[in-house]
Amino acid sequence: MTYAAETLPNAVQPRFPATGLFIAGQWRETEDSIDVVNPADGSVVASVAAGGTREAFEALDAAVAAQEAWRGWAPRARSALFYRAHALMQERAEDFARIMTLESGKPLTEARAEFNLSTDFLLWFTEQIAHLHGSYAPSSHGGFRIVTTHQPVGPCLLITPWNFPLLMIVRKAGAALAAGCTAIVKSAQETPLTAALFAEVLAEAGLPAGVLNLIHSRDASSVSAPLLRDPRLRKVSFTGSTRVGGILLEMGAANIVNSSLELGGDGPFVVLDDADIDQAVEHAIACKFRNAGQACVAANRIIVDRRVEPDFTEKFLARTRALKVGNGIGPVDVGPMITARQRDRLPATVAELTGAGGTLLTGGAAIDGPGNFFEPTVIRFDAPNDVACSNELFAPVATIFAVDGIEQAIRFANRTTFGLASYLFTGNLSRAVALAERLEFGMVGINRGIMADAAAPFGGTKASGLGREAGHGGIYEFLEEKYMALTVDDPLEAFA
Ligand code: NAD
């Protein structure tokens, strides 16, 4: 397979990973391939092997074969391997960042930030491995004891999206492997190279063959459907759209496959009249336009108290107009949409919003030239509007809604089928706590527009998914609680 390295617009070339599938510790080519396209200019960055059902079963065979030995590793031995992987990742930090920019289009500064966050997550799981707990308790009526421990669920299928090519894989594979599970990663078709580089680093750190297997595929269901129907697969952990999450739940239903799902979002970004407006604007810009708006936790509806809305909108608009759009390898704020198809759906979205009463304040059109660029866009509504509810924009398109007071703000914020991230800006602490408790979302950023952290439980309610990633509980998504009833003939009872 080849790399079109000469198309890179910057002199510094990353060292690319192997382009094959990684199964049972071997990099393997196949007869099919996928071109990895740079969304900033349409050039082919690389071509990777593509697999299907046959390779999926081979990967499952390998994961099943490796499972028993891997779960038998002492926790300290597993964490030592993770520490090595963490150090090797640092050595290749710039390769990771540049490859992410080349295949996903995100600005290099964002790719570097994603790299740093991803290694934080790896370190978090590394530290957790030797800290798992069990319990010991008397039974309700005496006579025996209750002993609990946690055991790995078993071989897992991990499916990730392209929008955070490294973070999503580390958050899943880090937890799964730390817990003692083996895994098959199905990379996102658009960003297979980042996934391959991570697999390469783990192998170099000494991960035994078969513990992590990697499949790229142009037909995701040719991998997921057969595996989810094979009783040897014990878990699926998926990040992506709510639609596909539902399909996977259905596929796994017959075998009652343990499922963790991180799905779509409709993040309300609520600004109350006592908020620090400058702070709210800065956070709203980052929360909306990071990754060109292609984030599940992006601000989807910006809901602002009418008393401060003119000030907020004027400043937000000025900041939006100043954003530099372009190829992420250069000094830009906003990169391209991932595909031409994603960019081309946006004029209809803008028309839908303005047709429902929104006023277009800036942007609204695709940018001519190579690459899938779309103008940073702001649309203002003078009142809450259902057109935007449960409608994940996933684009550099911001909607602002003027609302009358707190009650209307919170009711409108909750008017969605999603429940992932929400945001609340206010200068009053007790108001913040009371309202945060009423927001029906898995996460609430209080005076913060970015809240990802390895120590925090990431996940959503309602159609945004099942389960939590990282934080104290994330690793337990890959473990099952085991109870042992222990008969105890208490010698003291004989004297009672
Ligand atoms: P998507 O659901 O189309 O694809 C995500 C992944 O699922 C890709 O790897 C894709 O190849 C795979 N996939 C698609 N169909 C499949 C099938 N039948 N079987 C197995 N795998 C299949 O989503 P997308 O458009 O790539 O990503 C955007 C969506 O992901 C948005 O809705 C976004 O909100 C969501 N997302 C959620 C989180 C979160 O943590 N909650 C994070 C990032 C993205």
Short mmCIF file of all heavy atoms in Angstrom, two decimals, residues 116-171:
data_model
loop_
_atom_site.label_atom_id
_atom_site.label_comp_id
_atom_site.label_asym_id
_atom_site.label_seq_id
_atom_site.Cartn_x
_atom_site.Cartn_y
_atom_site.Cartn_z
N ASN A 116 -3.10 14.69 23.91
CA ASN A 116 -2.80 14.83 25.35
C ASN A 116 -3.93 14.25 26.20
O ASN A 116 -3.68 13.57 27.20
CB ASN A 116 -2.58 16.31 25.70
CG ASN A 116 -1.28 16.82 25.13
OD1 ASN A 116 -0.36 16.03 24.87
ND2 ASN A 116 -1.18 18.12 24.90
N LEU A 117 -5.15 14.52 25.79
CA LEU A 117 -6.30 13.99 26.56
C LEU A 117 -6.32 12.45 26.48
O LEU A 117 -6.57 11.77 27.47
CB LEU A 117 -7.59 14.58 25.99
CG LEU A 117 -8.86 14.36 26.80
CD1 LEU A 117 -8.72 14.96 28.21
CD2 LEU A 117 -10.06 15.02 26.10
N SER A 118 -5.99 11.93 25.31
CA SER A 118 -6.02 10.47 25.13
C SER A 118 -4.97 9.80 26.02
O SER A 118 -5.24 8.76 26.63
CB SER A 118 -5.73 10.11 23.66
OG SER A 118 -6.65 10.75 22.82
N THR A 119 -3.78 10.38 26.09
CA THR A 119 -2.76 9.76 26.93
C THR A 119 -3.13 9.90 28.41
O THR A 119 -2.81 9.03 29.22
CB THR A 119 -1.35 10.35 26.65
OG1 THR A 119 -1.42 11.77 26.75
CG2 THR A 119 -0.85 9.95 25.28
N ASP A 120 -3.83 10.97 28.74
CA ASP A 120 -4.37 11.10 30.11
C ASP A 120 -5.30 9.93 30.43
O ASP A 120 -5.26 9.37 31.53
CB ASP A 120 -5.23 12.36 30.21
CG ASP A 120 -4.48 13.53 30.77
OD1 ASP A 120 -3.25 13.42 30.93
OD2 ASP A 120 -5.12 14.55 31.05
N PHE A 121 -6.14 9.59 29.48
CA PHE A 121 -7.08 8.48 29.70
C PHE A 121 -6.31 7.17 29.85
O PHE A 121 -6.63 6.35 30.70
CB PHE A 121 -8.09 8.38 28.54
CG PHE A 121 -9.29 9.28 28.71
CD1 PHE A 121 -9.23 10.63 28.44
CD2 PHE A 121 -10.50 8.77 29.15
CE1 PHE A 121 -10.32 11.46 28.61
CE2 PHE A 121 -11.61 9.59 29.32
CZ PHE A 121 -11.52 10.94 29.04
N LEU A 122 -5.30 6.99 29.00
CA LEU A 122 -4.54 5.75 29.10
C LEU A 122 -3.89 5.63 30.48
O LEU A 122 -3.92 4.58 31.12
CB LEU A 122 -3.46 5.69 28.00
CG LEU A 122 -2.78 4.34 27.88
CD1 LEU A 122 -3.74 3.26 27.39
CD2 LEU A 122 -1.58 4.41 26.94
N LEU A 123 -3.36 6.75 30.96
CA LEU A 123 -2.72 6.76 32.27
C LEU A 123 -3.74 6.46 33.36
O LEU A 123 -3.47 5.74 34.32
CB LEU A 123 -2.09 8.14 32.50
CG LEU A 123 -0.98 8.25 33.51
CD1 LEU A 123 0.12 7.24 33.25
CD2 LEU A 123 -0.40 9.68 33.49
N TRP A 124 -4.92 7.00 33.21
CA TRP A 124 -5.99 6.78 34.19
C TRP A 124 -6.30 5.28 34.32
O TRP A 124 -6.36 4.73 35.41
CB TRP A 124 -7.23 7.56 33.77
CG TRP A 124 -8.44 7.32 34.62
CD1 TRP A 124 -9.49 6.50 34.33
CD2 TRP A 124 -8.72 7.87 35.91
NE1 TRP A 124 -10.43 6.53 35.35
CE2 TRP A 124 -9.96 7.36 36.34
CE3 TRP A 124 -8.03 8.76 36.75
CZ2 TRP A 124 -10.55 7.71 37.55
CZ3 TRP A 124 -8.61 9.10 37.97
CH2 TRP A 124 -9.85 8.58 38.35
N PHE A 125 -6.44 4.62 33.18
CA PHE A 125 -6.73 3.17 33.22
C PHE A 125 -5.53 2.41 33.76
O PHE A 125 -5.68 1.42 34.49
CB PHE A 125 -7.12 2.65 31.82
CG PHE A 125 -8.38 3.26 31.28
CD1 PHE A 125 -8.41 3.88 30.04
CD2 PHE A 125 -9.56 3.22 32.01
CE1 PHE A 125 -9.56 4.45 29.54
CE2 PHE A 125 -10.73 3.79 31.52
CZ PHE A 125 -10.73 4.41 30.29
N THR A 126 -4.34 2.87 33.39
CA THR A 126 -3.11 2.23 33.88
C THR A 126 -3.10 2.22 35.40
O THR A 126 -2.76 1.21 36.04
CB THR A 126 -1.88 3.03 33.39
OG1 THR A 126 -1.96 3.15 31.97
CG2 THR A 126 -0.59 2.35 33.76
N GLU A 127 -3.50 3.35 35.98
CA GLU A 127 -3.50 3.48 37.45
C GLU A 127 -4.63 2.69 38.07
O GLU A 127 -4.54 2.24 39.22
CB GLU A 127 -3.59 4.96 37.83
CG GLU A 127 -2.31 5.73 37.48
CD GLU A 127 -2.51 7.22 37.34
OE1 GLU A 127 -3.68 7.66 37.24
OE2 GLU A 127 -1.51 7.94 37.31
N GLN A 128 -5.71 2.51 37.34
CA GLN A 128 -6.87 1.81 37.91
C GLN A 128 -6.68 0.29 37.98
O GLN A 128 -7.29 -0.38 38.81
CB GLN A 128 -8.12 2.07 37.05
CG GLN A 128 -8.95 3.27 37.50
CD GLN A 128 -10.32 3.22 36.88
OE1 GLN A 128 -10.45 3.03 35.68
NE2 GLN A 128 -11.36 3.37 37.68
N ILE A 129 -5.83 -0.24 37.09
CA ILE A 129 -5.75 -1.70 36.93
C ILE A 129 -5.51 -2.40 38.27
O ILE A 129 -6.13 -3.42 38.57
CB ILE A 129 -4.63 -2.08 35.94
CG1 ILE A 129 -4.97 -1.59 34.55
CG2 ILE A 129 -4.42 -3.59 35.92
CD1 ILE A 129 -3.87 -1.79 33.52
N ALA A 130 -4.62 -1.84 39.06
CA ALA A 130 -4.28 -2.51 40.32
C ALA A 130 -5.14 -2.01 41.48
O ALA A 130 -4.84 -2.28 42.63
CB ALA A 130 -2.80 -2.32 40.62
N HIS A 131 -6.23 -1.31 41.17
CA HIS A 131 -7.05 -0.73 42.24
C HIS A 131 -8.51 -1.20 42.17
O HIS A 131 -9.40 -0.48 42.62
CB HIS A 131 -7.02 0.80 42.15
CG HIS A 131 -5.68 1.39 42.49
ND1 HIS A 131 -5.52 2.46 43.31
CD2 HIS A 131 -4.43 1.01 42.14
CE1 HIS A 131 -4.22 2.74 43.44
NE2 HIS A 131 -3.56 1.87 42.73
N LEU A 132 -8.75 -2.33 41.57
CA LEU A 132 -10.13 -2.80 41.49
C LEU A 132 -10.53 -3.40 42.84
O LEU A 132 -9.71 -3.96 43.55
CB LEU A 132 -10.27 -3.82 40.37
CG LEU A 132 -9.89 -3.28 38.99
CD1 LEU A 132 -10.02 -4.36 37.94
CD2 LEU A 132 -10.77 -2.08 38.62
N HIS A 133 -11.80 -3.29 43.16
CA HIS A 133 -12.19 -3.72 44.51
C HIS A 133 -13.22 -4.84 44.48
O HIS A 133 -13.93 -5.06 43.51
CB HIS A 133 -12.73 -2.53 45.31
CG HIS A 133 -13.95 -1.92 44.72
ND1 HIS A 133 -13.93 -0.78 43.96
CD2 HIS A 133 -15.24 -2.32 44.75
CE1 HIS A 133 -15.14 -0.50 43.56
NE2 HIS A 133 -15.97 -1.40 44.01
N GLY A 134 -13.29 -5.55 45.60
CA GLY A 134 -14.33 -6.54 45.85
C GLY A 134 -14.94 -6.23 47.20
O GLY A 134 -14.70 -5.17 47.77
N SER A 135 -15.74 -7.17 47.75
CA SER A 135 -16.35 -6.90 49.06
C SER A 135 -16.53 -8.20 49.84
O SER A 135 -16.48 -9.31 49.28
CB SER A 135 -17.69 -6.20 48.89
OG SER A 135 -18.63 -7.08 48.33
N TYR A 136 -16.77 -8.04 51.12
CA TYR A 136 -16.98 -9.17 52.02
C TYR A 136 -18.04 -8.73 53.02
O TYR A 136 -17.97 -7.65 53.59
CB TYR A 136 -15.66 -9.47 52.75
CG TYR A 136 -15.73 -10.60 53.75
CD1 TYR A 136 -15.45 -11.91 53.36
CD2 TYR A 136 -16.08 -10.37 55.08
CE1 TYR A 136 -15.52 -12.94 54.27
CE2 TYR A 136 -16.16 -11.40 55.99
CZ TYR A 136 -15.87 -12.68 55.58
OH TYR A 136 -15.93 -13.72 56.48
N ALA A 137 -19.10 -9.55 53.20
CA ALA A 137 -20.17 -9.14 54.11
C ALA A 137 -20.88 -10.37 54.66
O ALA A 137 -20.85 -11.45 54.03
CB ALA A 137 -21.18 -8.27 53.36
N PRO A 138 -21.52 -10.25 55.83
CA PRO A 138 -22.32 -11.37 56.34
C PRO A 138 -23.60 -11.50 55.53
O PRO A 138 -24.10 -10.52 54.99
CB PRO A 138 -22.63 -10.95 57.79
CG PRO A 138 -22.52 -9.47 57.79
CD PRO A 138 -21.52 -9.10 56.74
N SER A 139 -24.14 -12.70 55.42
CA SER A 139 -25.44 -12.86 54.76
C SER A 139 -26.54 -12.33 55.69
O SER A 139 -26.31 -12.13 56.89
CB SER A 139 -25.68 -14.34 54.43
OG SER A 139 -25.70 -15.08 55.63
N SER A 140 -27.73 -12.13 55.13
CA SER A 140 -28.80 -11.46 55.88
C SER A 140 -29.12 -12.16 57.21
O SER A 140 -29.35 -11.52 58.22
CB SER A 140 -30.09 -11.41 55.06
OG SER A 140 -29.82 -10.92 53.79
N HIS A 141 -29.17 -13.50 57.18
CA HIS A 141 -29.58 -14.24 58.39
C HIS A 141 -28.43 -15.04 58.99
O HIS A 141 -28.66 -15.98 59.74
CB HIS A 141 -30.77 -15.16 58.05
CG HIS A 141 -31.96 -14.40 57.57
ND1 HIS A 141 -32.76 -13.66 58.41
CD2 HIS A 141 -32.46 -14.21 56.33
CE1 HIS A 141 -33.72 -13.07 57.70
NE2 HIS A 141 -33.55 -13.38 56.42
N GLY A 142 -27.22 -14.71 58.65
CA GLY A 142 -26.07 -15.42 59.18
C GLY A 142 -25.89 -16.76 58.48
O GLY A 142 -26.61 -17.11 57.54
N GLY A 143 -24.87 -17.50 58.88
CA GLY A 143 -24.68 -18.84 58.33
C GLY A 143 -23.74 -18.90 57.15
O GLY A 143 -23.10 -19.91 56.92
N PHE A 144 -23.65 -17.85 56.39
CA PHE A 144 -22.64 -17.82 55.32
C PHE A 144 -22.19 -16.38 55.07
O PHE A 144 -22.71 -15.43 55.68
CB PHE A 144 -23.14 -18.51 54.05
CG PHE A 144 -24.27 -17.82 53.32
CD1 PHE A 144 -24.01 -17.02 52.23
CD2 PHE A 144 -25.60 -18.02 53.71
CE1 PHE A 144 -25.04 -16.41 51.54
CE2 PHE A 144 -26.63 -17.41 53.02
CZ PHE A 144 -26.36 -16.60 51.93
N ARG A 145 -21.21 -16.26 54.24
CA ARG A 145 -20.65 -14.93 53.96
C ARG A 145 -20.81 -14.61 52.47
O ARG A 145 -20.83 -15.52 51.64
CB ARG A 145 -19.15 -14.89 54.30
CG ARG A 145 -18.84 -15.22 55.73
CD ARG A 145 -19.34 -14.16 56.71
NE ARG A 145 -18.96 -14.50 58.07
CZ ARG A 145 -19.75 -15.20 58.91
NH1 ARG A 145 -20.94 -15.62 58.52
NH2 ARG A 145 -19.33 -15.50 60.13
N ILE A 146 -20.87 -13.32 52.20
CA ILE A 146 -21.02 -12.86 50.81
C ILE A 146 -19.68 -12.26 50.38
O ILE A 146 -19.22 -11.27 50.96
CB ILE A 146 -22.13 -11.80 50.73
CG1 ILE A 146 -23.49 -12.47 51.05
CG2 ILE A 146 -22.15 -11.12 49.37
CD1 ILE A 146 -24.59 -11.50 51.34
N VAL A 147 -19.07 -12.88 49.39
CA VAL A 147 -17.79 -12.39 48.87
C VAL A 147 -18.02 -11.98 47.42
O VAL A 147 -18.60 -12.75 46.64
CB VAL A 147 -16.72 -13.50 48.93
CG1 VAL A 147 -15.38 -12.99 48.40
CG2 VAL A 147 -16.57 -14.02 50.36
N THR A 148 -17.62 -10.78 47.06
CA THR A 148 -17.78 -10.37 45.66
C THR A 148 -16.44 -9.96 45.07
O THR A 148 -15.56 -9.45 45.76
CB THR A 148 -18.78 -9.21 45.48
OG1 THR A 148 -18.22 -8.03 46.05
CG2 THR A 148 -20.12 -9.51 46.09
N THR A 149 -16.32 -10.19 43.77
CA THR A 149 -15.15 -9.73 43.03
C THR A 149 -15.62 -9.34 41.63
O THR A 149 -16.81 -9.38 41.35
CB THR A 149 -14.08 -10.84 42.98
OG1 THR A 149 -12.90 -10.31 42.38
CG2 THR A 149 -14.54 -12.05 42.19
N HIS A 150 -14.69 -8.91 40.80
CA HIS A 150 -15.06 -8.53 39.43
C HIS A 150 -14.20 -9.31 38.45
O HIS A 150 -12.99 -9.44 38.64
CB HIS A 150 -14.85 -7.03 39.21
CG HIS A 150 -15.79 -6.20 40.01
ND1 HIS A 150 -15.51 -5.77 41.28
CD2 HIS A 150 -17.04 -5.76 39.74
CE1 HIS A 150 -16.53 -5.09 41.75
NE2 HIS A 150 -17.48 -5.07 40.84
N GLN A 151 -14.84 -9.78 37.39
CA GLN A 151 -14.11 -10.54 36.37
C GLN A 151 -14.38 -9.96 34.99
O GLN A 151 -15.47 -9.42 34.75
CB GLN A 151 -14.58 -12.00 36.40
CG GLN A 151 -14.22 -12.67 37.71
CD GLN A 151 -14.52 -14.15 37.69
OE1 GLN A 151 -15.53 -14.57 37.12
NE2 GLN A 151 -13.67 -14.94 38.31
N PRO A 152 -13.39 -10.08 34.10
CA PRO A 152 -13.59 -9.51 32.76
C PRO A 152 -14.80 -10.11 32.05
O PRO A 152 -15.07 -11.31 32.18
CB PRO A 152 -12.31 -9.89 32.02
CG PRO A 152 -11.43 -10.59 32.98
CD PRO A 152 -12.08 -10.67 34.30
N VAL A 153 -15.52 -9.26 31.34
CA VAL A 153 -16.70 -9.70 30.61
C VAL A 153 -16.34 -10.76 29.57
O VAL A 153 -17.07 -11.71 29.35
CB VAL A 153 -17.36 -8.50 29.90
CG1 VAL A 153 -18.49 -8.93 28.99
CG2 VAL A 153 -17.85 -7.49 30.91
N GLY A 154 -15.18 -10.55 28.92
CA GLY A 154 -14.78 -11.47 27.85
C GLY A 154 -14.50 -10.68 26.57
O GLY A 154 -14.44 -9.44 26.60
N PRO A 155 -14.34 -11.37 25.44
CA PRO A 155 -13.99 -10.68 24.20
C PRO A 155 -15.00 -9.60 23.82
O PRO A 155 -16.22 -9.83 23.87
CB PRO A 155 -13.98 -11.81 23.17
CG PRO A 155 -13.66 -13.03 23.98
CD PRO A 155 -14.36 -12.83 25.30
N CYS A 156 -14.47 -8.43 23.45
CA CYS A 156 -15.32 -7.26 23.18
C CYS A 156 -15.16 -6.79 21.74
O CYS A 156 -14.05 -6.86 21.18
CB CYS A 156 -14.88 -6.08 24.05
SG CYS A 156 -14.90 -6.39 25.80
N LEU A 157 -16.23 -6.25 21.21
CA LEU A 157 -16.17 -5.55 19.93
C LEU A 157 -16.25 -4.05 20.23
O LEU A 157 -17.20 -3.61 20.89
CB LEU A 157 -17.35 -5.98 19.04
CG LEU A 157 -17.52 -5.22 17.72
CD1 LEU A 157 -16.29 -5.37 16.81
CD2 LEU A 157 -18.78 -5.70 16.98
N LEU A 158 -15.26 -3.29 19.78
CA LEU A 158 -15.21 -1.86 20.05
C LEU A 158 -15.34 -1.11 18.72
O LEU A 158 -14.51 -1.31 17.82
CB LEU A 158 -13.88 -1.49 20.73
CG LEU A 158 -13.46 -2.39 21.91
CD1 LEU A 158 -12.08 -1.96 22.44
CD2 LEU A 158 -14.49 -2.33 23.04
N ILE A 159 -16.36 -0.29 18.62
CA ILE A 159 -16.61 0.42 17.35
C ILE A 159 -16.57 1.92 17.62
O ILE A 159 -17.30 2.41 18.49
CB ILE A 159 -17.97 0.03 16.75
CG1 ILE A 159 -18.06 -1.48 16.59
CG2 ILE A 159 -18.20 0.73 15.41
CD1 ILE A 159 -19.42 -1.98 16.11
N THR A 160 -15.74 2.62 16.86
CA THR A 160 -15.53 4.05 17.15
C THR A 160 -15.80 4.91 15.91
O THR A 160 -15.70 4.44 14.79
CB THR A 160 -14.08 4.27 17.60
OG1 THR A 160 -13.20 3.69 16.62
CG2 THR A 160 -13.82 3.64 18.95
N PRO A 161 -16.10 6.19 16.15
CA PRO A 161 -16.32 7.12 15.04
C PRO A 161 -15.03 7.85 14.66
O PRO A 161 -14.01 7.72 15.34
CB PRO A 161 -17.34 8.10 15.62
CG PRO A 161 -16.96 8.18 17.06
CD PRO A 161 -16.38 6.84 17.45
N TRP A 162 -15.09 8.66 13.63
CA TRP A 162 -13.93 9.35 13.09
C TRP A 162 -13.66 10.69 13.76
O TRP A 162 -12.61 11.27 13.57
CB TRP A 162 -14.16 9.61 11.58
CG TRP A 162 -15.51 10.21 11.35
CD1 TRP A 162 -16.66 9.53 11.04
CD2 TRP A 162 -15.89 11.58 11.49
NE1 TRP A 162 -17.72 10.40 10.98
CE2 TRP A 162 -17.27 11.67 11.25
CE3 TRP A 162 -15.19 12.76 11.79
CZ2 TRP A 162 -17.99 12.87 11.31
CZ3 TRP A 162 -15.89 13.96 11.85
CH2 TRP A 162 -17.27 13.99 11.61
N ASN A 163 -14.65 11.22 14.49
CA ASN A 163 -14.51 12.63 14.89
C ASN A 163 -13.46 12.87 15.98
O ASN A 163 -12.88 13.94 16.05
CB ASN A 163 -15.86 13.26 15.24
CG ASN A 163 -16.56 12.59 16.38
OD1 ASN A 163 -16.19 11.48 16.77
ND2 ASN A 163 -17.58 13.23 16.92
N PHE A 164 -13.24 11.85 16.85
CA PHE A 164 -12.11 11.90 17.79
C PHE A 164 -11.37 10.57 17.61
O PHE A 164 -11.55 9.63 18.38
CB PHE A 164 -12.60 12.13 19.22
CG PHE A 164 -13.17 13.52 19.41
CD1 PHE A 164 -14.53 13.75 19.27
CD2 PHE A 164 -12.33 14.59 19.67
CE1 PHE A 164 -15.05 15.03 19.39
CE2 PHE A 164 -12.84 15.87 19.80
CZ PHE A 164 -14.21 16.09 19.66
N PRO A 165 -10.53 10.50 16.56
CA PRO A 165 -10.01 9.21 16.11
C PRO A 165 -9.19 8.47 17.17
O PRO A 165 -9.20 7.25 17.21
CB PRO A 165 -9.12 9.57 14.92
CG PRO A 165 -9.42 10.96 14.57
CD PRO A 165 -10.04 11.62 15.75
N LEU A 166 -8.48 9.21 18.02
CA LEU A 166 -7.65 8.56 19.03
C LEU A 166 -8.39 8.44 20.36
O LEU A 166 -8.41 7.38 20.99
CB LEU A 166 -6.34 9.34 19.22
CG LEU A 166 -5.36 8.72 20.22
CD1 LEU A 166 -4.94 7.32 19.77
CD2 LEU A 166 -4.13 9.61 20.40
N LEU A 167 -9.01 9.52 20.78
CA LEU A 167 -9.65 9.55 22.10
C LEU A 167 -10.69 8.43 22.24
O LEU A 167 -10.77 7.75 23.27
CB LEU A 167 -10.31 10.92 22.32
CG LEU A 167 -10.97 11.12 23.68
CD1 LEU A 167 -9.94 11.01 24.79
CD2 LEU A 167 -11.65 12.48 23.73
N MET A 168 -11.49 8.23 21.20
CA MET A 168 -12.56 7.25 21.30
C MET A 168 -11.99 5.83 21.45
O MET A 168 -12.54 5.02 22.19
CB MET A 168 -13.45 7.30 20.05
CG MET A 168 -14.17 8.61 19.83
SD MET A 168 -15.34 9.02 21.13
CE MET A 168 -14.49 10.33 21.97
N ILE A 169 -10.89 5.56 20.77
CA ILE A 169 -10.31 4.21 20.85
C ILE A 169 -9.62 4.00 22.20
O ILE A 169 -9.78 2.96 22.83
CB ILE A 169 -9.31 3.98 19.69
CG1 ILE A 169 -10.10 3.86 18.39
CG2 ILE A 169 -8.48 2.73 19.93
CD1 ILE A 169 -9.27 3.58 17.19
N VAL A 170 -8.90 5.01 22.66
CA VAL A 170 -8.20 4.86 23.94
C VAL A 170 -9.22 4.69 25.07
O VAL A 170 -9.04 3.87 25.98
CB VAL A 170 -7.28 6.07 24.20
CG1 VAL A 170 -6.71 6.01 25.61
CG2 VAL A 170 -6.16 6.10 23.19
N ARG A 171 -10.32 5.44 24.99
CA ARG A 171 -11.33 5.38 26.06
C ARG A 171 -11.98 4.00 26.13
O ARG A 171 -12.37 3.54 27.18
CB ARG A 171 -12.39 6.44 25.79
CG ARG A 171 -12.88 7.14 27.02
CD ARG A 171 -13.51 8.46 26.73
NE ARG A 171 -14.69 8.37 25.90
CZ ARG A 171 -15.43 9.43 25.57
NH1 ARG A 171 -15.12 10.63 26.02
NH2 ARG A 171 -16.49 9.31 24.82
#
